[in-house]
Amino acid sequence: MVLDKPTLKNLELIAVTPEPKHALSLCRILDETMTPLGARLLSQWVRQPLIDAALIRARLNAVEELVCDQSTLGRLRHHLKSIRDIERLIARINCATPSARDIVALGSSLEIVPAVQEAVIGCTSSLIRIQAGNLWALPQVTERIRCAFVENPPFGVKDGGIIRAGFNPELDDLRAISRNAKEWIASLQAQEIEKTSIRSLKIKFNKVFGYYIEVTKANLSMIPAYYQRKQTLVNAERFTIPELKEYEEKILGAEERACELEYRLFEEVRGFVLQHVTEIQTTAEAVAILDVIASLAAAALKNNYTKPEVSD
């Protein structure tokens, strides 16, 4: 049944703007939902009530089962409260500008699905059993998300810091290069001082010439043959060596390459998640229905409601 806005307001079925937030309505009294998914669906059920007696009885039977089994009701609601808005999360992941936070939140929500299934495993009402069968745990998706992303990723996806250490060896190497550059340079400097016996030898860096070995002119006679001249100054000469040149190529741009690689890995995981979008949407719908049924059962217990007999 489709009800227009004046009817919804006059029957006080929902709070119609600009009604004050504390204004009572049937929807508000019945709303004991634990998820945004359930809250939206409950509002939809109130706005568009069923007119088929068989379908109404199926809902009432499901509510009755949870009213009579408060242990199952409690376990179900306990697990539902940890589930985020799966429907909107997958919509954002599917759009042009998702964040790693959305994917992590989706993964943590999907990890709760097996517990929801377990909570209702003994239920016999047709509506609950159907929705339990529509829940997809998708362990391969949750495992990929858990392995790929840090627990609390930053909002942006192009600035790095979203991929977990150990997920990609190349990324780990790039991070290690950036992190350990100073230590490596200090070690190479000590090594070259020992090889050449030039105590004043320094390895330095500037944005124009990159990394170089600086030797004062007084020590030029001690320069080994493998040193390659890079720049001449008034009081010193600057050189490079194959080892430093090779490492310089790794250091310079390592952070930039790491960010680019992280974004590529993010897109790969995102693409993998979107391969299962149908199952995720089906799961979101099932969670919403189970949440509404549990909400109505909780409201029935709270307000001492009696199950009505419905006929054609």
Side-chain angles (χ1 to χ4, degrees):
M1 181 185 296
V2 178
L3 305 175
D4 59 20
K5 200 168 184 178
T7 303
L8 293 171
K9 179 178 180 181
N10 293 334
L11 295 180
E12 298 178 318
L13 299 182
I14 62 169
V16 182
T17 54
E19 294 286 344
K21 291 184 178 181
H22 62 270
L24 288 179
S25 65
L26 177 63
C27 191
R28 184 160 292 159
I29 291 171
L30 296 178
D31 191 355
E32 299 288 339
T33 55
M34 308 300 291
T35 70
L37 293 163
R40 285 199 300 274
L41 183 61
L42 175 62
S43 176
Q44 180 183 324
W45 282 14
V46 171
R47 292 168 184 265
Q48 298 177 329
L50 295 175
I51 54 176
D52 184 304
L55 295 178
I56 294 171
R57 283 195 294 269
R59 285 184 183 175
L60 291 173
N61 290 340
V63 173
E64 181 184 34
E65 182 168 23
L66 293 182
V67 168
C68 295
D69 187 352
Q70 294 183 40
S71 176
T72 294
L73 175 62
R75 290 196 304 274
L76 176 59
R77 284 167 59 78
H78 171 74
H79 296 307
L80 286 172
K81 71 180 180 182
S82 299
I83 295 181
R84 303 279 293 277
D85 197 335
I86 299 175
E87 188 175 52
R88 290 191 175 174
L89 286 172
I90 193 63
R92 285 203 294 268
I93 293 167
N94 197 28
C95 76
T97 55
S99 75
R101 291 183 184 182
D102 293 330
I103 300 181
V104 170
L106 176 66
S108 64
S109 296
L110 291 175
E111 287 179 345
I112 309 295
V113 169
V116 175
Q117 290 174 316
E118 181 68 25
V120 298
I121 196 168
C123 293
T124 59
S125 64
S126 61
L127 185 54
I128 294 179
R129 290 180 66 84
I130 290 171
Q131 301 316 315
N134 287 337
L135 294 170
W136 291 77
L138 300 176
Q140 70 277 28
V141 174
T142 57
E143 178 67 16
R144 178 75 68 90
I145 293 171
R146 189 187 316 111
C147 291
F149 298 117
V150 298
E151 190 173 343
N152 295 302
F155 185 79
V157 295
K158 294 187 177 181
D159 299 325
I162 62 175
I163 301 297
R164 191 182 294 274
F167 181 71
N168 181 273
E170 183 184 354
L171 178 61
D172 290 341
D173 289 344
L174 289 171
R175 286 173 170 172
I177 290 169
S178 298
R179 185 170 57 248
N180 301 324
K182 289 183 179 180
E183 290 83 353
W184 191 90
I185 292 297
S187 173
L188 180 63
Q189 178 175 296
Q191 174 184 311
E192 291 303 310
I193 289 174
E194 185 176 351
K195 282 183 179 179
T196 62
S197 300
I198 302 174
R199 298 300 165 190
S200 61
L201 182 150
K202 301 289 184 184
I203 297 181
K204 299 181 179 180
F205 171 81
N206 68 39
K207 292 182 178 179
V208 177
F209 293 99
Y211 284 93
Y212 55 86
I213 299 172
E214 187 168 284
V215 179
T216 59
K217 291 201 171 180
N219 293 302
L220 291 182
S221 61
M222 303 170 69
I223 293 297
Y226 63 88
Y227 270 44
Q228 302 168 12
R229 183 173 277 101
K230 198 169 186 178
Q231 186 187 16
T232 300
L233 302 177
V234 175
N235 298 316
E237 294 276 347
R238 291 174 175 176
F239 300 87
T240 188
I241 58 177
E243 189 176 3
L244 179 60
K245 187 182 295 184
E246 180 182 349
Y247 197 73
E248 178 182 24
E249 293 175 358
K250 291 183 179 180
I251 296 173
L252 297 179
E255 185 174 342
E256 181 181 350
R257 295 200 306 276
C259 289
E260 291 173 355
L261 178 56
E262 283 202 59
Y263 182 68
R264 191 162 72 247
L265 293 170
F266 165 79
E267 283 295 320
E268 288 176 3
V269 176
R270 175 178 172 235
F272 181 74
V273 171
L274 291 176
Q275 290 176 19
H276 302 273
V277 66
T278 301
E279 297 98 316
I280 294 170
Q281 290 172 336
T282 301
T283 297
E285 183 180 354
V287 166
I289 293 173
L290 290 172
D291 191 19
V292 173
I293 294 169
S295 172
L296 295 175
L301 289 167
K302 178 181 178 181
N303 299 317
N304 196 30
Y305 292 156
T306 300
K307 179 186 176 185
E309 293 182 8
V310 179
S311 67
D312 291 322

